[in-house]
Amino acid sequence: MPSTSSLHLTVDAQYCSPYAMSVYVALLEKQLPFTLSTLDLDAGANHAPAYALRSLTARVPALQHGDFVLSESSAITEYLDEVFSGPALYPPHPQDKARARQLQAWLRSDLLPLRQERDTLVVFYRPIRCPLSDAARRAAHKLLRVAEQALPAGADYLFGQWSIVDVDLALMLNRLRLNGDPMPQRLADYAALQWQRTSVQRWLDLPRPALK
């Protein structure tokens, strides 16, 4: 097994990035020891030459493993699953694994109006009163439709057992659930269940600075 002594994760200073959360949870689920540091994205610390050059994309999260630095969360979680033993982050069947990666890519690239109007401050700090715009309502409808279709009836997880994609989907659903926006009860129950996972609770317990 490759050495884990030099695993280091860099995340945002408010611990609000859904992508940083995904990698943090993945490291805990793989039972890998790691150190953690933060960058003030509002101050542009991620664009400092030293970090930008190492991370390549100048974004968080970034995982350093020895001399190798990797950014982009789904690339990191796939790397962790391929390089290290321990509990799997992705389902074992090739078609399920492909579907999991499809959902990860979709959650990161679509639904922009919803991500803007129900940002992760809703999830990690407080709800907001502003109603969704027409564009955000359409995005929410799309999210709920896909989630309903992807989650088997009566299931706690997308692929029969927990995977990192359950955390990613639950976070997106929690943008609505934790703000009190309407959603099917079974999806609300699914998102709430994922939020109780020990690794997720560890992320939720991190000391967030007060909002300015």
Side-chain angles (χ1 to χ4, degrees):
M1 176 176 169
S3 172
T4 64
S5 61
S6 58
L7 285 173
H8 182 81
L9 178 64
T10 303
V11 302
D12 60 299
Q14 289 183 312
Y15 304 114
C16 278
S17 165
Y19 315 119
M21 174 181 170
S22 185
V23 175
Y24 182 92
V25 167
L27 285 160
L28 294 179
E29 293 287 342
K30 294 293 282 186
Q31 301 172 14
L32 298 171
F34 65 98
T35 53
L36 182 69
S37 63
T38 63
L39 288 178
D40 185 348
L41 303 186
D42 290 338
N46 53 309
H47 295 294
Y51 180 80
L53 288 172
R54 286 189 300 112
S55 66
L56 190 61
T57 57
R59 304 213 295 183
V60 298
L63 180 74
Q64 181 168 353
H65 180 207
D67 295 330
F68 178 62
V69 180
L70 184 66
S71 60
E72 305 304 320
S73 58
S74 58
I76 297 171
T77 54
E78 289 180 30
Y79 176 77
L80 292 172
D81 222 23
E82 291 173 359
V83 170
F84 297 102
S85 60
L89 300 176
Y90 290 89
H93 190 279
Q95 290 186 350
D96 287 343
K97 185 177 292 186
R99 182 72 74 201
R101 288 169 169 167
Q102 176 192 11
L103 288 170
Q104 276 193 315
W106 175 70
L107 288 167
R108 286 156 170 74
S109 62
D110 203 348
L111 311 173
L112 179 59
L114 179 60
R115 286 188 278 126
Q116 290 176 327
E117 296 182 28
R118 295 293 182 266
D119 62 23
T120 51
L121 294 182
V122 166
V123 177
F124 299 116
Y125 279 93
R126 76 293 180 268
I128 59 176
R129 300 180 184 277
C130 182
L132 293 171
S133 66
D134 288 344
R137 280 199 300 271
R138 288 193 295 271
H141 177 77
K142 185 176 184 180
L143 168 64
L144 298 176
R145 176 186 63 77
V146 171
E148 286 255 72
Q149 186 174 342
L151 183 65
D156 289 337
Y157 306 113
L158 290 166
F159 302 105
Q161 61 187 29
W162 179 89
S163 73
I164 192 62
V165 190
D166 287 300
V167 171
D168 293 339
L169 179 58
L171 191 145
M172 186 64 79
L173 291 170
N174 275 329
R175 294 172 187 261
L176 297 172
R177 182 181 75 90
L178 295 175
N179 202 64
D181 294 302
M183 64 189 311
Q185 188 61 48
R186 84 178 191 106
L187 294 184
D189 292 344
Y190 163 80
L193 176 65
Q194 312 315 315
W195 231 231
Q196 294 308 308
R197 198 167 182 88
T198 300
S199 56
V200 173
Q201 287 292 309
R202 290 271 299 275
W203 175 263
L204 296 177
D205 288 341
L206 290 171
R208 290 173 178 79
L211 292 177
K212 297 177 182 179

